[in-house]
Amino acid sequence: MDMTEFDDVPGADVPLDASDVALLARVAELDDRLDPAPHGLAERALFAMTLAGLEAEVMELQVVETPVGSVRSDAPVETRTITFTHERLTVMIALSAGAAAGTVRIDGWMAPAEALEIVLRRPDEERATLSDEDGRFVLEDVPRGPASLLVHQGETPVTTPVIEL
């Protein structure tokens, strides 16, 4: 928009007063009520942009194991085991209930087995841990929600797709 369009508008050069601020607040309130942003949208968008900007090779989601009989259930299914593959690395994680309410414990294994840094990436936090020489690692009390793992292996890190914990 060209700002010269407002040169001939009466009062365009007058600062906002209390009635202008009140009117704008009312418009914002109506907008929030009639067309609210989805819960967590800003955090998810920032998380997605961060991952998109990350120069890492992405692993492929390989296997999702679900409990028997869950296909016909209307209840949400909690995934237990997920395997991610890449040409130079395979990561398998097992999810279980965390000690704190609303959290999960992530037990992970990598092949080939080696001690590497693993970073849990979530919209509101990053948490690093190290795998042992057998490729095992644990992340305790991880809040539920979207997350991915970034594994520092070689010059180019490898990341999993974002999954819902």
mmCIF file of all heavy atoms in Angstrom, residues 109-135:
data_model
loop_
_atom_site.group_PDB
_atom_site.id
_atom_site.type_symbol
_atom_site.label_atom_id
_atom_site.label_comp_id
_atom_site.label_asym_id
_atom_site.label_seq_id
_atom_site.Cartn_x
_atom_site.Cartn_y
_atom_site.Cartn_z
ATOM 1 N N TRP A 109 17.455 -46.383 20.856
ATOM 2 C CA TRP A 109 18.587 -47.201 20.449
ATOM 3 C C TRP A 109 18.976 -46.787 19.043
ATOM 4 O O TRP A 109 18.120 -46.534 18.205
ATOM 5 C CB TRP A 109 18.210 -48.675 20.433
ATOM 6 C CG TRP A 109 17.747 -49.188 21.748
ATOM 7 C CD1 TRP A 109 18.511 -49.793 22.691
ATOM 8 C CD2 TRP A 109 16.413 -49.142 22.264
ATOM 9 N NE1 TRP A 109 17.743 -50.125 23.774
ATOM 10 C CE2 TRP A 109 16.451 -49.736 23.544
ATOM 11 C CE3 TRP A 109 15.202 -48.651 21.800
ATOM 12 C CZ2 TRP A 109 15.323 -49.857 24.337
ATOM 13 C CZ3 TRP A 109 14.082 -48.768 22.595
ATOM 14 C CH2 TRP A 109 14.153 -49.372 23.848
ATOM 15 N N MET A 110 20.267 -46.722 18.793
ATOM 16 C CA MET A 110 20.757 -46.349 17.469
ATOM 17 C C MET A 110 21.650 -47.448 16.900
ATOM 18 O O MET A 110 22.380 -48.104 17.632
ATOM 19 C CB MET A 110 21.555 -45.048 17.541
ATOM 20 C CG MET A 110 20.694 -43.863 17.901
ATOM 21 S SD MET A 110 21.595 -42.317 17.826
ATOM 22 C CE MET A 110 22.849 -42.576 19.043
ATOM 23 N N ALA A 111 21.586 -47.601 15.579
ATOM 24 C CA ALA A 111 22.479 -48.520 14.880
ATOM 25 C C ALA A 111 23.015 -47.783 13.651
ATOM 26 O O ALA A 111 22.227 -47.165 12.936
ATOM 27 C CB ALA A 111 21.732 -49.782 14.473
ATOM 28 N N PRO A 112 24.299 -47.786 13.419
ATOM 29 C CA PRO A 112 25.322 -48.448 14.205
ATOM 30 C C PRO A 112 25.451 -47.809 15.581
ATOM 31 O O PRO A 112 25.252 -46.614 15.751
ATOM 32 C CB PRO A 112 26.599 -48.266 13.380
ATOM 33 C CG PRO A 112 26.344 -47.069 12.519
ATOM 34 C CD PRO A 112 24.866 -47.032 12.281
ATOM 35 N N ALA A 113 25.781 -48.665 16.555
ATOM 36 C CA ALA A 113 25.896 -48.213 17.941
ATOM 37 C C ALA A 113 27.155 -47.378 18.121
ATOM 38 O O ALA A 113 28.246 -47.798 17.741
ATOM 39 C CB ALA A 113 25.929 -49.414 18.878
ATOM 40 N N GLU A 114 26.967 -46.186 18.679
ATOM 41 C CA GLU A 114 28.097 -45.325 19.009
ATOM 42 C C GLU A 114 27.608 -44.222 19.940
ATOM 43 O O GLU A 114 26.416 -43.963 20.039
ATOM 44 C CB GLU A 114 28.752 -44.742 17.761
ATOM 45 C CG GLU A 114 27.849 -43.897 16.883
ATOM 46 C CD GLU A 114 28.554 -43.400 15.631
ATOM 47 O OE1 GLU A 114 29.624 -42.776 15.739
ATOM 48 O OE2 GLU A 114 28.033 -43.664 14.534
ATOM 49 N N ALA A 115 28.543 -43.607 20.644
ATOM 50 C CA ALA A 115 28.215 -42.502 21.545
ATOM 51 C C ALA A 115 28.040 -41.241 20.712
ATOM 52 O O ALA A 115 28.977 -40.791 20.057
ATOM 53 C CB ALA A 115 29.315 -42.326 22.586
ATOM 54 N N LEU A 116 26.823 -40.692 20.713
ATOM 55 C CA LEU A 116 26.506 -39.491 19.931
ATOM 56 C C LEU A 116 25.647 -38.550 20.765
ATOM 57 O O LEU A 116 24.971 -38.973 21.700
ATOM 58 C CB LEU A 116 25.732 -39.854 18.661
ATOM 59 C CG LEU A 116 26.451 -40.711 17.633
ATOM 60 C CD1 LEU A 116 25.482 -41.144 16.538
ATOM 61 C CD2 LEU A 116 27.637 -39.967 17.040
ATOM 62 N N GLU A 117 25.630 -37.269 20.375
ATOM 63 C CA GLU A 117 24.731 -36.303 21.014
ATOM 64 C C GLU A 117 23.389 -36.360 20.311
ATOM 65 O O GLU A 117 23.311 -36.327 19.083
ATOM 66 C CB GLU A 117 25.293 -34.888 20.946
ATOM 67 C CG GLU A 117 24.367 -33.879 21.596
ATOM 68 C CD GLU A 117 24.812 -32.433 21.449
ATOM 69 O OE1 GLU A 117 25.598 -32.128 20.529
ATOM 70 O OE2 GLU A 117 24.343 -31.602 22.244
ATOM 71 N N ILE A 118 22.325 -36.435 21.114
ATOM 72 C CA ILE A 118 20.958 -36.434 20.613
ATOM 73 C C ILE A 118 20.260 -35.226 21.222
ATOM 74 O O ILE A 118 20.339 -35.007 22.435
ATOM 75 C CB ILE A 118 20.191 -37.718 21.009
ATOM 76 C CG1 ILE A 118 20.859 -38.941 20.388
ATOM 77 C CG2 ILE A 118 18.742 -37.647 20.557
ATOM 78 C CD1 ILE A 118 21.630 -39.706 21.376
ATOM 79 N N VAL A 119 19.584 -34.440 20.396
ATOM 80 C CA VAL A 119 18.860 -33.273 20.875
ATOM 81 C C VAL A 119 17.372 -33.475 20.620
ATOM 82 O O VAL A 119 16.961 -33.706 19.478
ATOM 83 C CB VAL A 119 19.339 -31.974 20.181
ATOM 84 C CG1 VAL A 119 18.563 -30.770 20.696
ATOM 85 C CG2 VAL A 119 20.837 -31.776 20.362
ATOM 86 N N LEU A 120 16.584 -33.426 21.694
ATOM 87 C CA LEU A 120 15.129 -33.456 21.584
ATOM 88 C C LEU A 120 14.696 -32.035 21.279
ATOM 89 O O LEU A 120 15.000 -31.109 22.021
ATOM 90 C CB LEU A 120 14.494 -33.925 22.896
ATOM 91 C CG LEU A 120 12.970 -33.822 22.940
ATOM 92 C CD1 LEU A 120 12.350 -34.912 22.087
ATOM 93 C CD2 LEU A 120 12.484 -33.902 24.365
ATOM 94 N N ARG A 121 14.005 -31.845 20.160
ATOM 95 C CA ARG A 121 13.570 -30.508 19.734
ATOM 96 C C ARG A 121 12.058 -30.429 19.841
ATOM 97 O O ARG A 121 11.349 -31.236 19.262
ATOM 98 C CB ARG A 121 14.031 -30.238 18.308
ATOM 99 C CG ARG A 121 15.545 -30.288 18.186
ATOM 100 C CD ARG A 121 15.987 -30.078 16.767
ATOM 101 N NE ARG A 121 15.508 -28.825 16.275
ATOM 102 C CZ ARG A 121 16.251 -27.731 16.097
ATOM 103 N NH1 ARG A 121 17.527 -27.775 16.361
ATOM 104 N NH2 ARG A 121 15.728 -26.619 15.647
ATOM 105 N N ARG A 122 11.591 -29.457 20.636
ATOM 106 C CA ARG A 122 10.160 -29.213 20.829
ATOM 107 C C ARG A 122 9.915 -27.732 20.577
ATOM 108 O O ARG A 122 10.849 -26.942 20.604
ATOM 109 C CB ARG A 122 9.753 -29.594 22.256
ATOM 110 C CG ARG A 122 9.927 -31.064 22.555
ATOM 111 C CD ARG A 122 9.471 -31.467 23.946
ATOM 112 N NE ARG A 122 8.501 -30.590 24.570
ATOM 113 C CZ ARG A 122 7.183 -30.614 24.342
ATOM 114 N NH1 ARG A 122 6.672 -31.474 23.519
ATOM 115 N NH2 ARG A 122 6.381 -29.774 24.959
ATOM 116 N N PRO A 123 8.658 -27.320 20.365
ATOM 117 C CA PRO A 123 8.403 -25.908 20.095
ATOM 118 C C PRO A 123 8.925 -24.977 21.188
ATOM 119 O O PRO A 123 9.367 -23.875 20.898
ATOM 120 C CB PRO A 123 6.873 -25.834 20.016
ATOM 121 C CG PRO A 123 6.441 -27.195 19.639
ATOM 122 C CD PRO A 123 7.430 -28.127 20.277
ATOM 123 N N ASP A 124 8.910 -25.422 22.435
ATOM 124 C CA ASP A 124 9.280 -24.531 23.524
ATOM 125 C C ASP A 124 10.585 -24.899 24.225
ATOM 126 O O ASP A 124 10.959 -24.261 25.205
ATOM 127 C CB ASP A 124 8.149 -24.483 24.561
ATOM 128 C CG ASP A 124 7.769 -25.872 25.065
ATOM 129 O OD1 ASP A 124 8.251 -26.870 24.494
ATOM 130 O OD2 ASP A 124 6.990 -25.948 26.021
ATOM 131 N N GLU A 125 11.283 -25.926 23.751
ATOM 132 C CA GLU A 125 12.527 -26.302 24.415
ATOM 133 C C GLU A 125 13.379 -27.203 23.544
ATOM 134 O O GLU A 125 12.900 -27.816 22.596
ATOM 135 C CB GLU A 125 12.265 -27.026 25.741
ATOM 136 C CG GLU A 125 11.787 -28.465 25.557
ATOM 137 C CD GLU A 125 11.767 -29.280 26.844
ATOM 138 O OE1 GLU A 125 12.710 -29.174 27.654
ATOM 139 O OE2 GLU A 125 10.800 -30.025 27.016
ATOM 140 N N GLU A 126 14.652 -27.256 23.882
ATOM 141 C CA GLU A 126 15.573 -28.246 23.336
ATOM 142 C C GLU A 126 16.264 -28.888 24.521
ATOM 143 O O GLU A 126 16.633 -28.206 25.472
ATOM 144 C CB GLU A 126 16.613 -27.596 22.423
ATOM 145 C CG GLU A 126 16.052 -27.164 21.101
ATOM 146 C CD GLU A 126 17.134 -26.747 20.109
ATOM 147 O OE1 GLU A 126 18.339 -26.850 20.430
ATOM 148 O OE2 GLU A 126 16.756 -26.300 19.025
ATOM 149 N N ARG A 127 16.397 -30.206 24.470
ATOM 150 C CA ARG A 127 17.026 -30.939 25.561
ATOM 151 C C ARG A 127 18.018 -31.915 24.943
ATOM 152 O O ARG A 127 17.651 -32.725 24.097
ATOM 153 C CB ARG A 127 15.969 -31.686 26.358
ATOM 154 C CG ARG A 127 16.495 -32.335 27.611
ATOM 155 C CD ARG A 127 15.482 -33.213 28.291
ATOM 156 N NE ARG A 127 14.183 -32.599 28.500
ATOM 157 C CZ ARG A 127 13.174 -33.225 29.087
ATOM 158 N NH1 ARG A 127 13.323 -34.471 29.519
ATOM 159 N NH2 ARG A 127 12.010 -32.635 29.245
ATOM 160 N N ALA A 128 19.277 -31.846 25.368
ATOM 161 C CA ALA A 128 20.311 -32.703 24.809
ATOM 162 C C ALA A 128 20.640 -33.849 25.768
ATOM 163 O O ALA A 128 20.534 -33.704 26.985
ATOM 164 C CB ALA A 128 21.565 -31.896 24.519
ATOM 165 N N THR A 129 21.023 -34.964 25.183
ATOM 166 C CA THR A 129 21.515 -36.106 25.947
ATOM 167 C C THR A 129 22.555 -36.810 25.097
ATOM 168 O O THR A 129 22.735 -36.480 23.922
ATOM 169 C CB THR A 129 20.361 -37.073 26.337
ATOM 170 O OG1 THR A 129 20.852 -38.019 27.280
ATOM 171 C CG2 THR A 129 19.790 -37.785 25.132
ATOM 172 N N LEU A 130 23.252 -37.763 25.680
ATOM 173 C CA LEU A 130 24.252 -38.536 24.954
ATOM 174 C C LEU A 130 23.856 -40.001 24.950
ATOM 175 O O LEU A 130 23.361 -40.517 25.958
ATOM 176 C CB LEU A 130 25.631 -38.385 25.610
ATOM 177 C CG LEU A 130 26.230 -36.988 25.607
ATOM 178 C CD1 LEU A 130 27.503 -36.967 26.442
ATOM 179 C CD2 LEU A 130 26.510 -36.527 24.189
ATOM 180 N N SER A 131 24.088 -40.654 23.830
ATOM 181 C CA SER A 131 23.890 -42.099 23.802
ATOM 182 C C SER A 131 25.157 -42.744 24.349
ATOM 183 O O SER A 131 26.238 -42.153 24.303
ATOM 184 C CB SER A 131 23.610 -42.581 22.378
ATOM 185 O OG SER A 131 24.712 -42.315 21.537
ATOM 186 N N ASP A 132 25.013 -43.956 24.872
ATOM 187 C CA ASP A 132 26.206 -44.656 25.344
ATOM 188 C C ASP A 132 26.873 -45.353 24.158
ATOM 189 O O ASP A 132 26.421 -45.237 23.014
ATOM 190 C CB ASP A 132 25.873 -45.611 26.489
ATOM 191 C CG ASP A 132 24.923 -46.744 26.098
ATOM 192 O OD1 ASP A 132 24.785 -47.040 24.884
ATOM 193 O OD2 ASP A 132 24.322 -47.333 27.007
ATOM 194 N N GLU A 133 27.953 -46.080 24.409
ATOM 195 C CA GLU A 133 28.691 -46.740 23.329
ATOM 196 C C GLU A 133 27.874 -47.813 22.629
ATOM 197 O O GLU A 133 28.195 -48.223 21.518
ATOM 198 C CB GLU A 133 29.990 -47.323 23.875
ATOM 199 C CG GLU A 133 30.965 -46.255 24.299
ATOM 200 C CD GLU A 133 32.243 -46.825 24.904
ATOM 201 O OE1 GLU A 133 32.378 -48.065 24.998
ATOM 202 O OE2 GLU A 133 33.092 -46.017 25.276
ATOM 203 N N ASP A 134 26.809 -48.280 23.293
ATOM 204 C CA ASP A 134 25.911 -49.264 22.682
ATOM 205 C C ASP A 134 24.772 -48.594 21.910
ATOM 206 O O ASP A 134 23.862 -49.267 21.423
ATOM 207 C CB ASP A 134 25.323 -50.180 23.756
ATOM 208 C CG ASP A 134 26.391 -51.034 24.419
ATOM 209 O OD1 ASP A 134 27.340 -51.450 23.721
ATOM 210 O OD2 ASP A 134 26.285 -51.274 25.637
ATOM 211 N N GLY A 135 24.790 -47.262 21.819
ATOM 212 C CA GLY A 135 23.776 -46.526 21.077
ATOM 213 C C GLY A 135 22.487 -46.290 21.834
ATOM 214 O O GLY A 135 21.487 -45.864 21.262
#
